[in-house]
């Protein structure tokens, strides 16, 4: 019964891992990362899971020595390849996130400069317009007075 509970939990975790692998696979954008995942990581995961099933079968049959030998054989080799490949995939992701952060900072800086430039230009335009509007309002009565002989002081 304890073995069945452990197998059930293990099956649930494997299902979660497979879902995460599908999600991760859909997010891969770099060709090098895709090649590493498809050509090395995925086949070794599949082989490791086949080995795992064989080990579980030996364990159910109470063949613990054979199960231990199976674990230390090809299963361990696949596991080691998986570990090193996962490290390489992790490096791809770290480098990608660092590049994204740099790109985002550059976009932020450019956008900020653009907004500041736009505000300065809008302020200058507003001052020029205010000058001409004010001048137009104050200059017009002076012209009327200059044209009207009865409005001039004696």
């Amino acid at each position: 019964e304890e073995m069945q509970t452990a197998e059930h939990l293990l099956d649930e975790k494997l299902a979660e891992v497979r879902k995460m692998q599908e999600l991760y696979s859909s997010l891969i954008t770099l060709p090098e990362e895709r090649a590493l995942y498809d050509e090395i990581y995925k086949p070794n995961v599949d082989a490791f899971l086949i080995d795992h099933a064989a080990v579980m079968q030996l364990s159910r049959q109470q063949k613990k020595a054979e199960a231990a030998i199976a674990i230390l054989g090809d299963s361990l080799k696949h596991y080691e390849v998986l570990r090193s490949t996962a490290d390489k995939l992790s490096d791809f992701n770290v480098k990608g996130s660092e590049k994204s952060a740099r790109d985002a900072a550059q976009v932020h800086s450019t956008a900020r400069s653009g907004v500041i430039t736009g505000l300065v230009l809008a302020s200058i335009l507003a001052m020029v317009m205010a000058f001409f509007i004010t001048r137009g309002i104050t200059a017009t009565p002076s012209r009327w007075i200059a044209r009207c002989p009865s409005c001039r002081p004696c």
Side-chain angles (χ1 to χ4, degrees):
E1 184 177 322
E2 192 174 304
M3 182 72 161
Q4 288 176 344
T5 303
E7 285 183 29
H8 178 70
L9 290 173
L10 192 54
D11 288 341
E12 287 178 356
K13 291 298 177 189
L14 286 174
E16 286 179 34
V17 167
R18 288 196 188 274
K19 285 180 187 176
M20 296 309 270
Q21 284 179 319
E22 287 178 28
L23 176 61
Y24 178 78
S25 178
S26 69
L27 297 174
I28 295 174
T29 56
L30 297 174
E32 301 89 6
E33 184 180 9
R34 172 60 62 195
L36 190 63
Y37 182 82
D38 288 344
E39 295 169 14
I40 298 174
Y41 184 81
K42 183 113 175 60
N44 277 285
V45 165
D46 295 340
F48 179 79
L49 291 176
I50 290 169
D51 294 341
H52 166 74
V55 168
M56 293 302 292
Q57 185 63 31
L58 290 169
S59 178
R60 278 187 217 104
Q61 296 170 357
Q62 300 300 319
K63 297 180 181 179
K64 297 191 189 296
E66 290 92 340
I69 291 170
I71 287 174
L72 296 174
D74 287 340
S75 182
L76 182 60
K77 290 176 189 172
H78 293 300
Y79 174 75
E80 291 298 329
V81 171
L82 285 174
R83 265 189 26 172
S84 69
T85 307
D87 288 343
K88 290 176 187 173
L89 290 170
S90 177
D91 288 343
F92 271 114
N93 289 308
V94 168
K95 289 176 185 171
S97 67
E98 289 170 351
K99 182 184 180 308
S100 293
R102 284 191 305 272
D103 291 348
Q106 179 63 37
V107 167
H108 175 265
S109 176
T110 302
R112 184 172 186 251
S113 297
V115 168
I116 290 171
T117 301
L119 288 173
V120 167
L121 290 175
S123 297
I124 291 171
L125 180 62
M127 286 190 285
V128 168
M129 288 174 59
F131 172 77
F132 283 112
I133 290 170
T134 304
R135 183 177 163 124
I137 291 172
T138 57
T140 304
S142 301
R143 286 188 205 140
W144 291 340
I145 292 171
R147 289 186 189 159
C148 176
S150 64
C151 299
R152 290 187 198 147
C154 304

